[in-house]
Every structure is written in structure tokens, then in C-alpha cells.
Amino acid sequence: MSSESNLKKVLTSGQFAVTAELGPPKNADAEVIRTKAKLLSDCADAVNITDCQTAIVRMSSIASSVILMQEGLEPVTQMTCRDRNRIAIQSDLLGAAALGLKNLLCLTGDHQKFGNHPNSTGVFDMDSIQLLQMVRMMRDEKVFQCGEEIKGREPDLFLGAAANPFADPFEFRALRLAKKIAAGAQFIQTQLVYNVEKFAAWMKAVRDLGLHEKCYILAGVTPPKSIGMARYMKNNVPGMDVPDHVIARLKGAKDAKKDVQEEGINICVNIINMVKEIEGVAGVHIMAIEWERAVPEIAKRAGLLPRP
Amino acid sequence: MNFCSQGNYDNMTNSNEPDIVAFCCHYTAYACSQDLQNLPRLGFPENVRLEILPCSGRISIIRLLKAFEQGADGIYIAGCKDDTCHNVRGSRVAKKRVDYVKDVFGQLNIEPERIEMFMISREPNRGFIEAAKEMTERIKKLGPSPLKGK
Amino acid sequence: MIIGERKPIREIIGMLKGIKNILILGCGGCATVCSAGGEKEVEILASIIRIDRKKKGEPVETNEKTLARQCDTEYLEELKDEMDEYDAVLSMGCGVGVNFLADMYPKTIILPALNTSFMGVSEEQGVWSERCAGCGNCILDKTGGLCPVARCPKRLLNGPCGGSQNGRCEINPDIACVWQLIYDRLKGLNQLEKLQEVFPMKDWSSSLHGGPRKIVREDLKL
């Protein structure tokens, strides 16, 4: 097993990177992960494993990551600030590194109100930016958050964060990305891109600050599986920008009695081809939750296969 | 015709007619008749005890509760129609207080219909009499207050 | 001001089951100002309890009293000679008052009539909202006077998160995104550079998480 992160290797070599995503099961069955892993093998450089996304209880990201690793794929483990305090997070990350995990996406986390346990406390001992700082210090300065020295092997993790080019205040978003990078983010995965124009405007602001040279930016993309899904994302998911022409295109396919899912895949491929041309975009992050079999098809049609 | 500011509403009349207290604003009462002693002749039920307020918005929650505690089978407020209240918002405020007491009644398993808000035109009209009659009929159907005889 | 709201009537009546002689005790401080437990509210609650008991045919004696405040021994001591008469005291003060009565009168049943919620402001008549979380380590000089600990559901110190849209918070569109407000204020005050430094992790030991707090001012002690 190579001691360096494969994702890091691909990105530092200057090749266009591809990451995918996998949601762990709402039960204790490792087989679910193994099945999904097989669908994603050979079409991504690393695969994200979400951490109780939308505050819904699922198998932990670290445990799922280890299972994924056993299937021969490289995981991007995710850690939110919602469920664990600084003691638990540092402890979990020592374990993650000891188990061979190499990539960590640092997130604040969806509020518990969205999930299936809305009555729980939300820990939020820190936010994603403070989390990045803490993990970077563990790795580079070999210290715990309290300042105490880590004697022996420190956790060596390739650090990432999320960014939302479509949230408000728009003019502050690039500056906030700068903070994340200063705190330790080495790669960024953005919120889903449907509005390529707005994404390009954000990338310009990012380039003006020179941030594209300080970290690797991967554009998030998702194939819309149905008109209903596209509408839901447009109207119900905060921080998402789904232009009307996307929904119109899906409707057009339905009206012409064509396969809507096919159209969804094509929309995704088109977006990948467009963002590839934007200066500073180092890769794509393909999220096809509960539609993992679409990912190899998308990667193929976008000319992203084979992976290095 | 009895006017009363405080007191016991138990058995105001000696019949099986319900004991009802009506808090009325000055304007709605006089829209009906310039002389309030005339009201029985216009058909105003004997079992309704009238209490005049300068504005229906002056009614306090405690006054409504106490009327019920002291024996009323039903209570209502008659105020001006929402857009014509002489004091702009008085009847709207009164309605909120009636809704509050309805909620209290609901929580105590007492029929919320025992208290009501009527918004009546200030033009000369019989709305004032109709409200009293309607409430009397309603309370007759509901029966005496659950506090009576206890 | 401490903001609370009277508990649902059914809950209060449940607490009073079997209790025959009650003191309903109001507070002239915050509870009066937020119309939750002042003299007026004491009168109303007493009447409600009597109506309920009359309906059930269960006798009750209600006594009504309102102290200037329930958070000072000076006022709680006024009750010294009469506490033995009551089966229970239903406090309409905030949780502070309930606790202090219980501290002071260990032999009497003390019951809370309010749900005490937050430290906040009166936005308009009938509307109150939270402003301070009592974290014990105020950072408002760095955030334009607006508190992300009290007003951001995720307590972000390096906000806003990706869910801020049109100045609203993703968890409830009725809540303004305080980080949008902080950004706007600092922009207007020409202090945006305050948002460029990474705000370090908060020391939560001075807040609720560090245990019940106490402040001693030696210069004021007699």
C-alpha cells in the first residue's frame, strides 16, 4: 500500500482529478458498501464517504472508509463538527490515520434539525475552518489542539474542505475560501454546479486572489435523475442554484418520450465538459447518491477514463 | 334590563334560560337603540346581562374568566366590525382575548363555544339583538355551565 | 431580560394534582415585562385553576402574591412566616426564582409555572427574541456587536456557512443569517478585515459547558 494519498498524487501531477461519493448504509451491513464500491471501481481517484449527511444516522464515515479501503478503493473520509467535540475528533482522527486512511474532508455539518434525531444537541465545539486548523497543526506541528506534543506518529492526512459558490453573501465567498486555505485546506469540493455561469464568476474571484494556485478545486456535479429531483433541489435545498433551463431540458426529454435519466447523465457530462475549460478547476467531484451505477457512464462519456 | 359591573351571575333569571353576560362596546349598543332601556321591547333576551365598555378592546382576560367563575353559562363580546372600530383596533384586540379564553376552555375540557366574539356594524341595525338571541340559543343547546351545582 | 412563557395549562394542572392550598407567586421583574408571570398573569392563572377545580368538584384555595423579584433573598424572605400554610408554591418567575425559592424553603413544594427560555429583547409588543447566550466570554467587539453564539444555530465563529441564502438561515427562514448581518455591519463600518483572520476555537469552559457559574466580587462584599 502506497503511503501517499492517491488523490494527492493525481492532483499534484497536474492531471484532471475525479472523485465520487458513496453514502454509508443506515444499518450495520458492510456488504452494502462493498456492493457500491464495485460500481465505482476504476472510475474515480478517490471516493468520499459521507458523515451522517443531513444529520441522519448512518454507519460512520471512518468505519465505512476502512471497508471501502479493503475493496481496493481510496476513501475521502468526512468529518463534521456537529456530532463530536475536539476530544472525540482528535481521537477519531488518530484512529483513522492508524487504520491507513489518508484523505479528510472537513465540514461544519448539516444542523441536527434536518435529520432523524432533531432533539439531540448539536456539538459545534468548532467550525470547519477551526477543524482544518486543528488537523493541520496535528500533522505539521505535531501538537494536539491544547498545545500538547504528539509523541510518535502523527496523523498524516490530505486535507479538504467544501465551498459553496452559490451561497450568500456572494462577494464574501472567495474570501471565505481564502480563510479555509489559510487554515489548511489543500483541496476543495464545491457544492453542485448547475449554473455554470455563476460558477465561472466565482472562479474568477477565486483566481483574482490567487487561490487556485494554493489549493486544488474540484467542481461538484450530479446527474439529475428526474424532473422531480431537479425541482426539489431547486426549491428545497438551501445553497443550491438550479437554473430553469436544466429543468426545461429534462421536461423536453420527457415530452419527447426520451429517457429522462439518459438526459440527466448528458446534462452532467455537459457541465463537466464546460467546467473543465475554466481556468483553475483541477477536477470534478461526481455525486450520484443512490445512483452509483451512473458514475462510470458519466466518467466514460466525459472522457475521463481510464483513471491514472 | 339589568346593568352590572361586578357580581354573581348565577341564576339571574328564575327560568331555565341560560345566564349570559354580554360585554358590549358603547357604539354597537347605541347603534341598536338610542335608549338602552328600550332593548327588551326590541326583543333583547331578558337572560342576557349587559355590561357596557367604552370600547370592546378594553375587555381584560381576567374579567372574562371571572364572569365564568361567577356563574355565567355563556359570555360574549360585541364590538365594532374590524375596519370600523372607533378606536381603530379595539375589536380586533377583543377578539384575540376571546380566542385566548377559548383556548383556555379547550385545555380545561370546557366547550370553547361558551365564549364568542361578535363584530357588529355601527350603522343602526338589529345585529346587537341577533347576537344576544344567537348566543342564548347556542348556550341552551350546550346546557348550563359545568361549574354549576358543584 | 430573561424571557419565558407560561407552561400549557394542562401541564400546570397536572403538577397541582392533589394540592389543596396553593400560593401563586408572581415576579415584578422580567416575568412582568415579558407578560409571562406578573401580577396580571398570576390573577389569570389563579382563576383558571379555580375554574378547573370547580368543574372537577375538587376544592382548592388559591392565594395570589407578586414579589418585586424572586432572585433576591430580601424579597423571598417576605414569605418566611406564611410558607407553612401552603401545600405548594407555584412560581411564575423564571427558573432562577423557582430554584431560589427551593433553595430557601426546603420544606415546601415549589413548582414552575413558566418555561424559561432565553436572554433577549422585546422586538415589538408580544414578540421577543434571543440575543445573548451567556457564554461568559464576550466576542462582540470582533463581530460588529452581533452574537454568532446566540444567533447562529451552528455557533460558527468563521461564518457564514454554505446554507446562508438571501440573508436567511437555512434551518428556519424566519431567522436572519447573523453572519450576513455581521458582514453587512462590518462592511458599513469599514471593518471587513476583522473577518479575514481565522477566528480561533472558543473556550467553552466559561459557558454552560463548564458547570454552574458563580461570580464573586470581593470589592462589593461586606
Side-chain angles (χ1 to χ4, degrees):
Chain A
M1 206 194 296
S2 151
S3 61
E4 206 202 7
S5 148
N6 181 50
L7 176 61
K8 185 176 180 188
K9 246 196 328 196
V10 172
L11 286 168
T12 50
S13 74
Q15 292 171 90
F16 196 74
V18 176
T19 52
E21 191 162 292
L22 188 155
K26 282 173 85 167
N27 57 40
D29 189 358
E31 207 49 46
V32 175
I33 298 173
R34 294 194 189 105
T35 309
K36 289 186 181 180
K38 292 187 173 69
L39 295 170
L40 295 171
S41 62
D42 302 326
C43 62
D45 303 314
V47 176
N48 284 39
I49 311 272
T50 54
D51 180 19
C52 292
Q53 197 167 51
T54 6
I56 292 175
V57 174
R58 293 178 182 277
M59 190 184 291
S60 72
S61 181
I62 289 177
S64 307
S65 296
V66 172
I67 297 169
L68 193 79
M69 217 169 44
Q70 291 164 351
E71 295 299 303
L73 276 77
E74 176 165 294
V76 176
T77 307
Q78 294 190 355
M79 174 68 72
T80 70
C81 304
R82 175 195 57 234
D83 308 319
R84 301 174 185 82
N85 65 9
R86 63 193 78 176
I87 297 170
I89 290 177
Q90 289 176 102
S91 167
D92 280 352
L93 293 181
L94 292 179
L99 288 165
L101 302 178
K102 302 193 188 76
N103 308 301
L104 185 73
L105 192 75
C106 301
L107 305 165
T108 300
D110 298 314
H111 195 273
Q112 61 271 15
K113 192 173 176 281
F114 289 118
N116 58 0
H117 289 76
N119 295 345
S120 70
T121 59
V123 178
F124 300 114
D125 188 7
M126 67 191 81
D127 57 38
S128 61
I129 292 176
Q130 293 157 345
L131 173 58
L132 281 162
Q133 210 171 42
M134 180 175 81
V135 188
R136 183 178 59 77
M137 300 270 283
M138 289 174 86
R139 181 191 67 200
D140 297 344
E141 321 284 328
K142 287 188 65 155
V143 286
F144 289 111
Q145 193 272 334
C146 61
E148 192 183 311
E149 190 194 333
I150 300 176
K151 298 194 170 111
R153 188 172 169 242
E154 77 283 4
D156 184 4
L157 295 161
F158 184 50
L159 296 174
N164 189 349
F166 309 104
D168 291 318
F170 187 68
E171 71 256 34
F172 186 57
R173 285 289 145 188
L175 280 165
R176 191 148 183 268
L177 178 60
K179 274 176 89 167
K180 287 194 174 177
I181 294 167
Q186 295 164 286
F187 72 92
I188 296 288
Q189 290 167 331
T190 74
Q191 172 66 290
L192 305 183
V193 177
Y194 282 106
N195 187 337
V196 181
E197 212 178 294
K198 198 159 185 196
F199 177 68
W202 179 75
M203 280 305 299
K204 168 134 197 335
V206 166
R207 286 196 305 271
D208 288 343
L209 292 173
L211 301 178
H212 62 306
E213 284 159 5
K214 294 190 183 148
C215 92
Y216 303 103
I217 298 170
L218 289 84
V221 293
T222 286
K225 203 171 181 182
S226 65
I227 300 167
M229 176 189 165
R231 278 214 184 99
Y232 183 82
M233 286 194 290
K234 184 185 176 69
N235 300 322
N236 297 78
V237 181
M240 278 218 58
D241 185 339
V242 183
D244 292 326
H245 63 73
V246 170
I247 297 175
R249 201 171 145 177
L250 291 169
K251 276 197 85 188
K254 183 171 184 193
D255 293 339
K257 301 263 181 358
K258 287 202 235 153
D259 187 345
V260 175
Q261 289 189 359
E262 260 293 294
E263 196 61 25
I265 289 178
N266 286 333
I267 289 172
C268 188
V269 172
N270 288 155
I271 292 173
I272 293 175
N273 287 330
M274 282 193 270
V275 301
K276 242 200 244 172
E277 302 303 312
I278 300 175
E279 189 197 338
V281 176
V284 282
H285 175 55
I286 307 175
M287 290 173 264
I289 297 281
E290 299 311 319
W291 196 18
E292 285 79 5
R293 64 183 72 249
V295 179
E297 190 56 38
I298 292 166
K300 190 169 88 173
R301 289 191 204 177
L304 298 170
L305 299 180
R307 297 311 308 152
Chain B
M1 189 79 247
N2 283 311
F3 294 97
C4 171
S5 57
Q6 305 253 7
N8 198 308
Y9 299 113
D10 227 332
N11 270 329
M12 288 186 294
T13 59
N14 61 0
S15 64
N16 291 323
E17 295 292 307
D19 297 318
I20 295 180
V21 178
F23 296 95
C24 301
C25 96
H26 180 259
Y27 298 93
T28 54
Y30 283 99
C32 192
S33 169
Q34 291 307 302
D35 178 4
L36 296 185
Q37 300 292 340
N38 255 344
L39 288 174
R41 243 172 288 145
L42 294 172
F44 194 85
E46 282 287 321
N47 56 290
V48 178
R49 174 145 302 176
L50 190 55
E51 305 214 3
I52 304 289
L53 303 167
C55 172
S56 61
R58 263 319 243 137
I59 192 64
S60 62
I61 288 169
I62 190 65
R63 207 160 163 199
L64 295 170
L65 290 172
K66 284 204 163 146
F68 193 69
E69 238 191 292
Q70 283 154 4
D73 299 306
I75 306 163
Y76 71 91
I77 302 183
C80 299
K81 276 200 151 86
D82 195 11
D83 46 349
T84 62
C85 173
H86 185 83
N87 295 299
V88 184
R89 278 198 291 247
S91 54
R92 208 186 310 164
V93 166
K95 179 165 196 315
K96 287 192 184 197
R97 292 178 186 164
V98 167
D99 288 342
Y100 183 99
V101 177
K102 276 183 189 278
D103 180 72
V104 169
F105 280 4
Q107 293 200 52
L108 297 179
N109 292 324
I110 295 169
E111 304 94 331
E113 298 80 37
R114 289 191 182 273
I115 184 166
E116 197 51 76
M117 175 78 199
F118 292 98
M119 288 179 163
I120 300 169
S121 169
R122 286 167 54 208
E123 299 302 307
N125 72 104
R126 287 186 53 90
F128 196 70
I129 311 280
E130 302 307 329
K133 283 184 170 172
E134 183 186 323
M135 203 62 188
T136 301
E137 282 314 302
R138 182 196 292 189
I139 300 298
K140 263 191 190 156
K141 288 201 186 94
L142 290 176
S145 156
L147 303 190
K148 280 201 167 139
K150 298 244 171 100
Chain C
M1 180 171 54
I2 297 179
I3 312 291
E5 208 181 354
R6 194 203 58 212
K7 281 176 171 292
I9 291 167
R10 286 208 176 116
E11 194 183 337
I12 294 176
I13 291 193
M15 282 183 213
L16 294 172
K17 214 159 177 204
I19 292 178
K20 295 193 172 63
N21 192 332
I22 312 169
L23 170 64
I24 298 151
L25 188 67
C27 174
C30 305
T32 294
V33 179
C34 68
S35 303
E39 198 176 328
K40 259 205 277 188
E41 290 77 32
V42 166
E43 211 182 5
I44 289 172
L45 184 56
S47 174
I48 290 172
I49 292 169
R50 288 192 301 265
I51 289 173
D52 174 69
R53 288 293 183 90
K54 197 164 184 194
K55 179 172 178 280
K56 289 173 175 156
E58 291 165 13
V60 71
E61 187 187 321
T62 58
N63 303 276
E64 301 165 37
K65 204 170 200 139
T66 298
L67 301 175
R69 276 184 287 115
Q70 293 183 16
C71 48
D72 240 301
T73 49
E74 176 185 341
Y75 305 115
L76 295 192
E77 267 164 7
E78 289 170 24
L79 301 171
K80 207 168 32 176
D81 298 325
E82 60 193 271
M83 282 306 254
D84 289 340
E85 296 165 25
Y86 308 120
D87 297 330
V89 174
L90 180 62
S91 166
M92 293 198 85
C94 73
V96 172
V98 178
N99 266 273
F100 216 28
L101 280 162
D103 285 338
M104 200 170 201
Y105 296 108
K107 296 208 177 75
T108 311
I109 296 174
I110 311 287
L111 300 168
L114 300 193
N115 284 326
T116 305
S117 287
F118 54 82
M119 289 188 277
V121 299
S122 178
E123 285 186 15
E124 58 174 271
Q125 178 153 316
V127 182
W128 299 272
S129 57
E130 188 163 12
R131 286 297 183 278
C132 174
C135 75
N137 196 349
C138 192
I139 51 161
L140 299 191
D141 57 314
K142 301 185 175 66
T143 57
L146 307 176
C147 184
V149 179
R151 299 164 77 171
C152 172
K154 299 185 193 174
R155 296 196 289 270
L156 298 178
L157 296 181
N158 293 285
C161 75
S164 173
Q165 204 128 52
N166 293 323
R168 311 317 289 177
C169 175
E170 65 174 3
I171 80 155
N172 183 346
D174 292 337
I175 303 176
C177 169
V178 74
W179 276 101
Q180 175 75 60
L181 295 176
I182 291 171
Y183 177 80
D184 292 338
R185 249 187 86 69
L186 291 179
K187 190 171 178 193
L189 294 167
N190 269 322
Q191 292 183 336
L192 268 184
E193 72 276 3
K194 284 191 174 172
L195 294 185
Q196 277 167 19
E197 290 303 306
V198 172
F199 213 119
M201 252 186 252
K202 197 157 183 23
D203 173 1
W204 296 105
S205 65
S206 62
S207 74
L208 181 70
H209 299 272
R213 294 163 279 182
K214 190 170 192 159
I215 292 177
V216 178
R217 286 272 304 280
E218 288 301 335
D219 59 306
L220 294 175
K221 284 172 76 170
L222 295 169

